Amino acid sequence: MSALDIAPTDAPSPPAGFVARFDGPRPGAALPAPRGPLSALLLETLTSRVAAPSSEHLVAAAERAAHEPVDLARDEDAQLSLFLLYASHYGSLPDIDARHEWDAGIIAARGVLERRFEGDLRERVEVPEAPEPTREAVAAALFALTAPTPGPSLSRFVAKRATLAQVREFLIHRSVYTLREADPHSWAIPRLRGVPKAALVEIQADEYGGGDPVRMHAAIFARTLRGAGIEDRYGAYLDHIPATTLASLNMMSMFGLNRRLLGAIVGHLAAFEMTSSLPNRSYGDGFRRLGFGPDVTEYFDEHVEADAVHEQIAGRDLAGSLAEQDPALLPDILFGAAACLTVDEWGADDMLSAFEEGRSSLREPLVP
């Protein structure tokens, strides 16, 4: 029996030192194992307590990785490397020394990987034809792009068929973003003005609990993990999470951290919110079907209601108003939205295929 096959009532006892009132994720976990030469060199560099000893070699290593004839979204070494580079800015893994955040060699290596990753996305993502750069026209185009489609989907599978082991794997995949929910999009706040800025702040305020730390969506998700018997330390399952899952968060981080990609991060958030409400209803139904209670389903139920509101704000006041302010950003708004759908679909399709074939969706199955 897998370690994920325990019944909901058999969830592990809280770890030593656990405080019952603590409602957010605990500090980050230990660093993951390298997945190739670039991530190995990067781990050595980022954890050094002195001046980055290998940063002069990082650009060359990144160039070699970027020129490999592989699908970069599925390249384990490249995606883990990007994740580690972005983790330095978020502060999500405590063993990464903050003194290296702006090391010139490290930033240059990140730029090499980003150029290849962005280039691949621009080649592979199908972007819809641009509408007129008006609030309503842009919102209509985004709603059309994100409209639900029939056929098999991960959310429908979870609602109707997923096993206990599979829904726990699903949560592990989601943990890499959701324990830091909203953070990648917050990088856009100081780069916006007027209506779009107010719209983004309104959305993010809800994501961060409206001033109540217990209501922060990352904190609610941490309670979901604990209720399902899963570790809530950020990055606890990094060694198990495959490249396509990391690629989704890495894309958000790339869009958010680069000011030239402001349109892309706004479009990403619009599509993200517009495709959240209905799937979360299905996810909640799936967990209820398996016997989990409100401590686990609250996260999904919260998003059914919240994101039905957020999608209107994101489509019209954020993305649509930004396109009106600066029509030159409209192509990237549409690219960011389409990239959100495409990359998330790659990960969801991989997960669904594994579940339907009766195998683990994780890079390394959990030890029984």
Side-chain angles (χ1 to χ4, degrees):
M1 181 174 71
S2 166
L4 295 180
D5 278 320
I6 55 176
T9 54
D10 294 332
S13 299
F18 179 85
V19 180
R21 185 60 185 141
F22 183 73
D23 289 292
R26 291 187 290 139
L31 291 171
R35 301 184 188 181
L38 179 56
S39 56
L41 181 56
L42 197 54
L43 283 162
E44 175 190 351
T45 302
L46 291 173
T47 57
S48 173
R49 300 300 179 185
V50 296
S54 304
S55 62
E56 68 273 17
H57 306 303
L58 278 173
V59 175
E63 291 280 5
R64 288 192 293 271
H67 285 89
E68 288 289 328
V70 296
D71 178 355
L72 202 75
R74 297 182 182 280
D75 185 273
E76 298 290 348
D77 191 29
Q79 290 301 326
L80 178 61
S81 295
L82 274 172
F83 175 85
L84 293 168
L85 287 162
Y86 294 134
S88 180
H89 296 291
Y90 289 115
S92 51
L93 298 175
D95 287 340
I96 293 179
D97 195 310
R99 287 172 291 186
H100 302 320
E101 181 180 3
W102 296 108
D103 176 86
I106 292 171
I107 295 300
R110 195 189 93 190
V112 169
L113 291 177
E114 285 182 332
R115 286 189 289 275
R116 166 68 194 280
F117 189 31
E118 182 187 349
D120 282 3
L121 291 173
R122 290 193 183 274
E123 285 185 9
R124 300 178 64 186
V125 171
E126 185 175 347
V127 180
E129 184 177 349
E132 290 296 312
T134 65
R135 180 175 179 272
E136 292 302 326
V138 171
L142 290 170
F143 277 110
L145 177 65
T146 59
T149 57
S153 74
L154 179 62
S155 62
R156 296 185 188 103
F157 183 92
V158 170
K160 302 294 185 182
R161 297 171 52 195
T163 65
L164 288 172
Q166 289 169 340
V167 297
R168 287 190 169 101
E169 286 196 4
F170 163 76
L171 291 177
I172 286 170
H173 283 276
R174 289 299 173 95
S175 69
V176 74
Y177 163 70
T178 312
L179 287 174
R180 295 208 67 91
E181 184 162 352
D183 289 351
H185 300 107
S186 291
W187 296 110
I189 292 174
R191 296 160 185 172
L192 294 170
R193 59 185 174 83
V195 173
K197 184 168 193 165
L200 180 54
V201 169
E202 181 176 359
I203 293 170
Q204 299 301 81
D206 283 349
E207 302 287 348
Y208 293 129
D212 182 353
V214 175
R215 301 304 306 162
M216 292 175 65
H217 288 180
I220 298 173
F221 187 73
R223 296 197 291 273
T224 291
L225 294 181
R226 295 195 294 271
I230 295 172
E231 174 63 71
D232 72 339
R233 284 180 304 152
Y234 187 81
Y237 299 96
L238 273 176
D239 285 329
H240 303 274
I241 292 174
T244 49
T245 300
L246 296 179
S248 178
L249 175 58
N250 288 338
M251 177 178 65
M252 285 186 244
S253 298
M254 178 174 68
F255 290 169
L257 279 165
N258 286 280
R259 184 165 60 90
R260 64 183 178 80
L261 294 173
L262 175 61
I265 192 62
V266 165
H268 185 285
L269 179 58
F272 197 81
E273 298 293 342
M274 289 174 175
T275 54
S276 174
S277 185
L278 292 178
N280 274 299
R281 185 184 301 277
S282 294
Y283 295 138
D285 289 345
F287 279 88
R288 276 184 285 271
R289 173 179 60 82
L290 292 167
F292 289 100
D295 60 326
V296 170
T297 63
E298 179 188 12
Y299 174 83
F300 306 107
D301 297 337
E302 167 75 14
H303 283 72
V304 172
E305 180 177 348
D307 291 344
V309 176
H310 289 174
E311 67 180 19
Q312 300 295 329
I313 301 170
R316 290 181 169 82
D317 299 332
L318 176 57
S321 293
L322 181 62
E324 280 191 347
Q325 275 186 359
D326 190 349
L329 293 178
L330 179 54
D332 266 3
I333 291 172
L334 296 172
F335 165 63
C340 172
L341 302 180
T342 300
V343 175
D344 284 356
E345 184 178 3
W346 292 342
D349 286 350
D350 286 356
M351 208 184 314
L352 181 58
S353 294
F355 290 166
E356 288 180 331
E357 294 168 11
R359 56 183 173 84
S360 174
S361 66
L362 300 174
R363 178 173 172 266
E364 295 182 6
L366 297 186
V367 177

